[in-house]
Amino acid sequence: MDTAASETVWTQVGSIDDIPVLGSRVVRTPGGDIALFRTAADEVFALEDACPHKQGPLSQGIVHGRRVTCPLHSWVIELATGEAVAPDEGRTGHVPVRVEGRSVSLALAEAKLSRGGCRKACGHV
Amino acid sequence: MDMHLSSNNGPAVESNEAELHSAVPVRERLVVVGNGMAGMKTVEELLAKAPGRFDITVFGAEPHPNYNRIMLSPVLAGEKTFDQIVLNSREWYDANGIALLTGEAVESIDRAGKMVVSQSGRVVPYDRLLIATGSMPFIIPVPGSTLPGVIGFRDLADVDAMLAAAAKGGRAVVIGGGLLGLEAANGLRVKGMEVTVVHLMPTLMERQLDPSAGMLLQRELERRGIEVLTGADTAEIVGNNREGGEWVSAVRLRDGRELPADIVVMAVGIRPNMALGKAAGVECGRGIRVDDRMRTSDPSIYAVGECVEHRGVTWGLVAPLFEMAKVLAHDLAGGEGAAYTGSVTSTKLKVTGVDVFSAGDFSGGAGTEDIVFRDAARGVYKRLVLKDGKLLGAVLYGDTKDGAWYFSLLKDGADVSAERDTMIFGQGFGSADAGDPNAAIAALPDSAEICGCNGVCKGTIVKAITEKGLTSLDEVKAHTKASASCGGCSGTVERLLAVTLGDGFTAAPKVKPMCKCTRHTHDQVRAAIVDRGLKTMAEVFQAMEWTTPDGCASCRPALNYYLLCAWPGEYRDDYQSRYINERAHANIQKDGTYSVVPRMWGGLTNAAELRAIADVVDKFAIPTVKVTGGQRIDLFGVKKEDLPAVWADLNAAGMVSGHAYAKGLRTVKTCVGSEWCRFGTQDSTGLGVKLERMTWGTWTPHKVKLAVSGCPRNCAEATIKDLGVVCIDSGYELHVGGNGGLHVRACDLLVRVGTEEEVLEYTGAFMQLYREEARYLERTAPWVERVGLDHIKAALVEDPERRRDLNARFLFSQTFSQDDPWAERAAKGVDRHEFNLLAEVG
Ligand code: SRM
Ligand SMILES: Cc1cc2nc3c(=O)[nH]c(=O)nc-3n(C[C@H](O)[C@H](O)[C@H](O)COP(=O)(O)OP(=O)(O)OC[C@H]3O[C@@H](n4cnc5c(N)ncnc54)[C@H](O)[C@@H]3O)c2cc1C
Ligand code: SF4
Ligand code: FES
């Protein structure tokens, strides 16, 4: 994935106020659902809405600190990186997020998705 | 501009010139608009670097010499006089040859002619112009916001207006729970007014403090008699006629509440005061735009302070403004290479006796970690945010002495990996004194209360330890009652033992804590909630010294339940602390779809219900319909977005949620009983329906299943339920603590009773005892085994009064929980966000 040359394209998806504190909302994209999370400190993170374990929808989990617990079998995933917390192993895709004022945007083209086509290209999984 | 010049009736340009700059016209002329903190800091720095380089004229709209605006809060609170906060006296201006024009605002800038025109018509030419006009309080544009009696908090005139109002007593409403609003509220309270703070966000000072610190601050202000309303949105300010004119009389909130007010202080934020620059055509954004050398779009005009926008950012604290002032002074003095590139800031609330400090950034993004320290006895909360071995942010409450240290580490971007584990205790931890929790305990006065439940002071405990030769926590508990209730202070008591006994002390064996966020057990936390009246999760975190800022997926649902159980009708359910099934009111399936189980009271259904179910299945193309092991029908594979519509259709046919997802009542299984069965002794179906009507909607530590069998043949499998009723000729047998799940356990027989009323009362009492005593996620079977059947019998069978009380408490809590969650979502739009996408793109 070579983005160095091109300018980042940000897609506005809504307001931070639309995401509950310690909660999540889903953005549907042609490449699959993206889960947006908001922490108590008002940070926003975006992960592919699929757990590295068995693709559980992470958007439905409980958010605590900067992590989410998967609703299906309770793996804990780092919001910033998509990485599973040890002892579990695996990583789900993450998408760069920008918050300007209250408005939230995603850099979808730079998403490091694990189920999408860039699995090999970005060497991220 | 010219028009203005000709129409002014002040002195003419020439005479003005002559008056101000008598003889030495060779020097460059610097005019400063704004006699405030940033402008005068620039002048001070400039005089230090290049004395005599400029002919300086300063215009100040206020009729005072330059004063320390920050200190208006202590002036309001009566802790300082105005004279004590003056920064530069009029003599200072004279001594430095500065022409100071106070009470004289500049009205316009003539950029082409390079001169400014003041309110009184005075015209002063410049070679360089500095705009330092600060900012203005933002007045929210609600009806009534311009009424007399609505005051900002910006300058001495505002303070005088507040003091005049406070002298008459009465009520003040402060809109805005940020730094300024709280300092105003405190000052007015100290001056004897009844004060209410109205704050839009859920916690105070949310931009500087996290929710934990915000909660502590709120409690402290409340202790001082200030009422705090959070999540409160102002709709209107109301006035009436008094003493010959219109005056503010109340603040009306959007939820309809009306707060009487003799003055209203508006402290919701500030707006850069850029009108002068904007009118003159200087480039402006949210403030007057400046580059890294504080130059505006006009090369002769500079700007510093709160009126500027630098790299897209505006500032509202003095530290960054002083940094700007230094850079500009360097530049004006002819220096090169200085650049202002932005600031890291820290905040301290100036309310005497309340120590709050915050610095840096909490929204650190990827890879940040938190270190949290709480000391409930001393009312201390500290949180550090780290990333890649560096400190990103700090919040301190109750103990701010290390604020400066953290701030310098933060500003310098110092590598703190080596100190990571101990830095939360403060600078120099480990080296003898500072920050060591034992040292902190040693330093407490004897009168310090250690055990909040039983009101035991430090002195009492130390005396007992030394005089009675106590060596363990249990002994201290027995002799002093300290930590005998909730045990929240057990850590402090242990430290006290360690401090008093030195090497003679060995810590008690560790008990299994609720989760990694705390060292306390479920039972201790629960007891603390009840005994100490803890009513929010944030209060529990602090009182029980949680080591995380907002708990985890394991403790939060438990705390949410404990609080809900302890304070029915009062505690507001914390939605984000519920497992997804309880948020979505449906069970999540392996593919992310949901299942829908409508209630079928006592296992009964009818044609209309079945028809409605069939219609819903067709309409939403629901793939699987199954009869459950709980005598009802489960619809599998429903898309989350469809849930409210599915529920609406089921509601229309009279069906409500079956709570198949809840830590609450699931089903009441029944058999046909005496109505049809040749062996039936009682109306088991009817009794089952009554039990289900009484118990549905409840929240319990784990799920609860009931059953009623019409005779000992027990077709409803009542003796493996949480509570099972087996009907007999003479009445009813009540069985409890059964489970057909992972570990099959047959019930214990609790009692035999004669009437349905007694069955209902026992059931309510049993449910409530379970609700109040069992640990979260402990079903009745392991609970009964843990506490023993005798314990249950003692409470329910041998103590009729207690049984009645328990049942009454159960029925009371039920009055808050028997709303069909499906109807609330389908018809009333509750939690709509849960079922909708945020966006669809591409
Ligand atoms: C649907 C159903 C199976 C069926 O097709 O019949 C079912 C399905 C589930 N059961 Fe069950 N249980 C169902 C009756 C039972 C029964 C029989 C009964 O209630 O008479 C039992 C044994 C009786 C008991 O609970 O004592 C039962 C013991 C369990 C257990 C083990 C509980 C235990 O204490 O050991 C679990 C796991 C848990 O709750 O942690 C469980 C958990 C589950 C969950 C919720 C698993 C999960 O977390 O996703 C299943 C999802 C339900 C859904 O999506 O709707 N289910 N489950 C039954 C729904 C009954 C209802 O109408 O609400
Ligand atoms: C009550 C209070 C408490 C505060 N506490 C803190 C604190 O604890 N810590 C902290 O860092 N900061 C605090 N601040 C903020 C701090 O005071 C400001 O950041 C700082 O004063 C801004 O400096 P400034 O020079 O930009 O604006 P100001 O100090 O407001 O100076 C601007 C001056 O320009 C004058 N002026 C405006 N227009 C004209 C015109 N057209 N002609 C002539 N004069 C004009 C104004 O009258 C004013 O005197 C507090 C502010 C207040 C009001
Ligand atoms: S028995 Fe197991 S597989 Fe079957 S419904 Fe219950 S939990 Fe699911
Ligand atoms: S799918 Fe997430 S833990 Fe199994």
Side-chain angles (χ1 to χ4, degrees):
Chain A
M1 198 157 88
D2 183 9
T3 50
S6 57
E7 183 113 328
T8 303
V9 178
W10 293 100
T11 309
Q12 208 233 316
V13 292
S15 160
I16 184 169
D17 300 310
D18 297 333
I19 312 171
V21 175
L22 294 175
S24 172
R25 294 291 300 277
V26 174
V27 171
R28 188 149 291 164
T29 77
D33 283 359
I34 306 292
L36 269 70
F37 302 90
R38 177 176 173 191
T39 68
D42 260 3
E43 302 150 83
V44 179
F45 298 102
L47 296 180
E48 194 170 353
D49 197 11
C51 178
H53 178 220
K54 291 187 175 176
Q55 274 63 58
L58 295 172
S59 58
Q60 313 294 297
I62 290 183
V63 180
H64 44 100
R66 289 181 191 81
R67 293 172 171 177
V68 60
T69 296
C70 178
L72 292 197
H73 318 97
S74 299
W75 280 29
V76 180
I77 310 297
E78 293 283 1
L79 294 179
T81 59
E83 206 142 350
V85 172
D88 298 317
E89 280 177 32
R91 179 204 278 268
T92 197
H94 61 101
V95 186
V97 180
R98 187 176 71 177
V99 182
E100 274 181 325
R102 307 308 283 169
S103 152
V104 180
S105 309
L106 300 179
L108 290 167
E110 283 167 39
K112 309 219 186 305
L113 299 190
S114 51
R115 64 182 161 212
C118 80
R119 173 184 275 263
K120 279 192 204 83
C122 70
H124 221 93
V125 215
Chain B
M1 204 108 6
D2 283 335
M3 249 172 60
H4 198 142
L5 262 179
S6 54
S7 68
N8 83 66
N9 48 12
V13 178
E14 293 75 16
S15 71
N16 206 352
E17 262 291 82
E19 183 182 306
L20 291 171
H21 314 280
S22 34
V24 227
V26 286
R27 290 198 287 181
E28 269 195 287
R29 291 162 302 188
L30 170 68
V31 171
V32 181
V33 186
N35 184 29
M37 299 195 69
M40 291 319 294
K41 184 71 177 179
T42 312
V43 171
E44 284 175 21
E45 294 278 336
L46 180 59
L47 289 175
K49 285 187 203 310
R53 186 181 174 106
F54 289 96
D55 242 345
I56 304 174
T57 303
V58 175
F59 281 93
E62 293 181 72
H64 314 287
N66 170 37
Y67 60 88
N68 188 347
R69 192 170 306 285
I70 293 180
M71 289 296 154
L72 286 177
S73 302
V75 170
L76 177 65
E79 293 161 0
K80 282 213 164 21
T81 64
F82 177 68
D83 287 344
Q84 288 173 314
I85 72 165
V86 168
L87 291 172
N88 297 302
S89 65
R90 292 185 189 271
E91 293 74 46
W92 177 87
Y93 289 86
D94 287 344
N96 286 289
I98 300 169
L100 171 65
L101 302 163
T102 55
E104 188 154 350
V106 169
E107 289 222 310
S108 60
I109 303 169
D110 174 358
R111 290 208 286 139
K114 283 199 163 183
M115 50 196 168
V116 299
V117 183
S118 80
Q119 207 173 14
S120 69
R122 202 189 294 264
V123 177
V124 178
Y126 63 80
D127 297 303
R128 317 251 198 132
L129 176 66
L130 170 57
I131 306 178
T133 45
S135 57
M136 293 181 298
F138 177 61
I139 303 292
I140 45 175
V142 292
S145 61
T146 55
L147 279 169
V150 180
I151 308 171
F153 188 15
R154 182 69 197 173
D155 55 26
L156 187 64
D158 295 330
V159 172
D160 287 341
M162 282 190 244
L163 288 174
K168 296 190 213 141
R171 311 186 61 93
V173 172
V174 176
I175 303 178
L179 182 103
L180 279 191
L182 298 182
E183 291 183 4
N186 177 62
L188 293 169
R189 178 73 195 141
V190 169
K191 290 287 169 188
M193 294 191 89
E194 298 292 321
V195 182
T196 303
V197 175
V198 171
H199 191 52
L200 184 61
M201 304 306 276
T203 56
L204 295 176
M205 287 181 71
E206 75 288 343
R207 276 186 295 167
Q208 291 89 14
L209 304 180
D210 62 5
S212 297
M215 179 276 300
L216 287 170
L217 177 59
Q218 180 171 344
R219 292 286 168 278
E220 176 57 34
L221 295 174
E222 285 166 351
R223 250 194 301 282
R224 291 166 178 236
I226 296 171
E227 185 185 16
V228 179
L229 303 179
T230 53
D233 193 3
T234 304
E236 185 181 351
I237 299 175
V238 189
N240 62 11
N241 271 313
R242 64 168 88 172
E243 289 162 37
E246 218 191 3
W247 192 264
V248 64
S249 66
V251 170
R252 193 170 293 147
L253 302 181
R254 209 154 303 277
D255 62 14
R257 276 180 290 178
E258 194 166 303
L259 315 167
D262 299 298
I263 54 165
V264 172
V265 178
M266 192 71 90
V268 294
I270 53 173
R271 285 281 173 282
N273 193 0
M274 59 180 173
L276 195 62
K278 200 166 189 174
V282 176
E283 197 182 309
C284 291
R286 284 190 296 146
I288 299 173
R289 285 220 173 98
V290 292
D291 64 11
D292 288 357
R293 289 166 60 194
M294 314 319 293
R295 292 178 305 190
T296 68
S297 58
D298 179 329
S300 306
I301 304 182
Y302 303 81
V304 284
E306 286 184 349
C307 61
V308 309
E309 177 193 303
H310 171 262
R311 297 192 181 183
V313 180
T314 59
W315 297 92
L317 293 168
V318 291
L321 315 183
F322 284 3
E323 290 174 37
M324 293 178 196
K326 275 200 181 125
V327 168
L328 175 57
H330 181 85
D331 214 70
L332 287 172
E336 269 174 30
Y340 175 73
T341 54
S343 304
V344 186
T345 57
S346 68
T347 318
K348 235 175 120 77
L349 182 70
K350 300 185 302 301
V351 171
T352 305
V354 182
D355 294 325
V356 185
F357 174 90
S358 110
D361 195 358
F362 301 92
S363 40
T368 48
E369 65 168 325
D370 290 300
I371 305 176
V372 173
F373 171 82
R374 300 177 202 251
D375 182 337
R378 290 192 298 137
V380 172
Y381 169 76
K382 304 188 199 178
R383 173 172 169 213
L384 301 178
V385 182
L386 269 68
K387 186 185 175 185
D388 300 334
K390 288 182 183 155
L391 191 58
L392 274 192
V395 185
L396 309 177
Y397 185 93
D399 175 358
T400 53
K401 67 176 183 311
D402 292 301
W405 181 54
Y406 293 134
F407 189 53
S408 69
L409 291 175
L410 202 149
K411 270 185 100 158
D412 300 348
D415 183 349
V416 295
S417 322
E419 288 114 318
R420 190 211 164 279
D421 292 341
T422 56
M423 65 187 295
I424 193 82
F425 300 117
Q427 189 169 20
F429 172 79
S431 67
D433 55 334
D436 177 346
N438 282 353
I441 291 292
L444 283 180
D446 279 351
S447 60
E449 187 178 81
I450 302 293
C451 173
C453 297
N454 297 301
V456 192
C457 298
K458 177 185 165 188
T460 315
I461 300 172
V462 172
K463 198 159 155 240
I465 295 172
T466 45
E467 288 182 1
K468 304 212 169 81
L470 311 182
T471 56
S472 73
L473 180 64
D474 282 340
E475 286 173 342
V476 174
K477 240 189 244 182
H479 282 91
T480 67
K481 286 275 176 294
S483 88
S485 293
C486 78
C489 60
S490 55
T492 317
V493 173
E494 289 209 320
R495 269 177 244 147
L496 211 46
L497 272 161
V499 167
T500 315
L501 297 178
D503 293 342
F505 168 70
T506 37
K510 288 275 167 285
V511 284
K512 191 170 178 286
M514 250 180 93
C515 67
K516 284 183 192 145
C517 305
T518 175
R519 56 171 199 282
H520 297 293
T521 63
H522 279 270
D523 296 345
Q524 288 173 328
V525 172
R526 256 203 124 161
I529 289 173
V530 175
D531 295 348
R532 293 160 66 180
L534 308 177
K535 299 204 167 164
T536 64
M537 220 175 277
E539 283 176 278
V540 177
F541 289 162
Q542 181 64 21
M544 304 309 274
E545 303 181 334
W546 245 243
T547 57
T548 48
D550 45 32
C552 69
S554 155
C555 60
R556 282 223 320 267
L559 290 180
N560 190 43
Y561 169 70
Y562 293 153
L563 287 160
L564 201 75
C565 176
W567 315 113
E570 203 174 332
Y571 173 72
R572 261 183 48 216
D573 179 41
D574 183 44
Y575 183 75
Q576 296 304 343
S577 295
R578 289 200 175 276
Y579 181 63
I580 180 58
N581 288 358
E582 294 182 341
R583 268 182 278 143
H585 292 274
N587 300 54
I588 194 166
Q589 304 297 316
K590 58 189 277 190
D591 61 355
T593 64
Y594 285 79
S595 73
V596 170
V597 187
R599 205 165 273 294
M600 287 181 173
W601 305 94
L604 289 171
T605 186
N606 55 44
E609 285 184 356
L610 293 173
R611 207 168 278 126
I613 289 174
D615 287 345
V616 147
V617 169
D618 284 345
K619 182 166 162 189
F620 295 93
I622 293 171
T624 301
V625 182
K626 180 183 180 301
V627 175
T628 74
Q631 295 189 337
R632 46 202 191 161
I633 291 174
D634 201 340
L635 312 178
F636 286 97
V638 180
K639 287 198 268 318
K640 196 178 184 191
E641 304 90 284
D642 287 343
L643 286 172
V646 168
W647 296 336
D649 286 2
L650 295 172
N651 280 156
M655 280 177 278
V656 297
S657 168
H659 292 89
Y661 47 81
K663 307 283 177 269
L665 179 87
R666 296 283 176 92
T667 59
V668 181
K669 269 167 92 159
T670 67
C671 71
V672 288
S674 59
E675 207 187 341
W676 295 99
C677 177
R678 61 201 167 108
F679 295 119
T681 61
Q682 311 282 353
D683 177 14
S684 51
T685 320
L687 179 57
V689 172
K690 280 184 196 154
L691 284 169
E692 193 160 355
R693 292 270 177 206
M694 175 174 102
T695 53
W696 77 278
T698 182
W699 296 110
T700 44
H702 204 312
K703 61 191 174 193
V704 172
K705 300 171 178 183
L706 312 185
V708 188
S709 287
C711 81
R713 288 169 195 79
N714 195 9
C715 297
E717 299 160 337
T719 48
I720 51 160
K721 293 292 175 263
D722 295 282
L723 183 144
V725 183
V726 176
C727 302
I728 47 178
D729 271 336
S730 59
Y732 308 86
E733 284 178 0
L734 297 188
H735 300 260
V736 297
N739 190 321
L742 278 88
H743 306 285
V744 181
R745 180 180 195 272
C747 289
D748 295 311
L749 176 63
L750 179 69
V751 69
R752 281 190 190 87
V753 295
T755 64
E756 283 194 345
E757 286 65 43
E758 287 168 283
V759 174
L760 294 175
E761 182 179 291
Y762 267 99
T763 302
F766 177 77
M767 293 283 281
Q768 188 64 9
L769 193 67
Y770 172 58
R771 296 182 79 230
E772 290 176 7
E773 291 193 351
R775 295 167 190 160
Y776 191 65
L777 296 187
E778 182 176 47
R779 280 198 67 179
T780 60
W783 170 60
V784 169
E785 288 205 339
R786 179 165 65 83
V787 299
L789 184 66
D790 288 347
H791 172 81
I792 313 268
K793 278 188 168 162
L796 302 184
V797 185
E798 286 145 30
D799 191 344
E801 203 174 323
R802 179 142 185 233
R803 180 174 72 239
R804 275 192 291 277
D805 284 352
L806 281 163
N807 182 44
R809 285 209 290 284
F810 179 72
L811 296 179
F812 176 69
S813 77
Q814 283 297 80
T815 60
F816 303 102
S817 63
Q818 291 196 323
D819 291 314
D820 174 30
W822 288 359
E824 289 184 328
R825 282 151 189 79
K828 297 192 208 143
V830 171
D831 297 335
R832 190 169 283 136
H833 70 271
E834 184 69 63
F835 307 99
N836 293 331
L837 294 173
L838 177 65
E840 194 159 0
V841 298

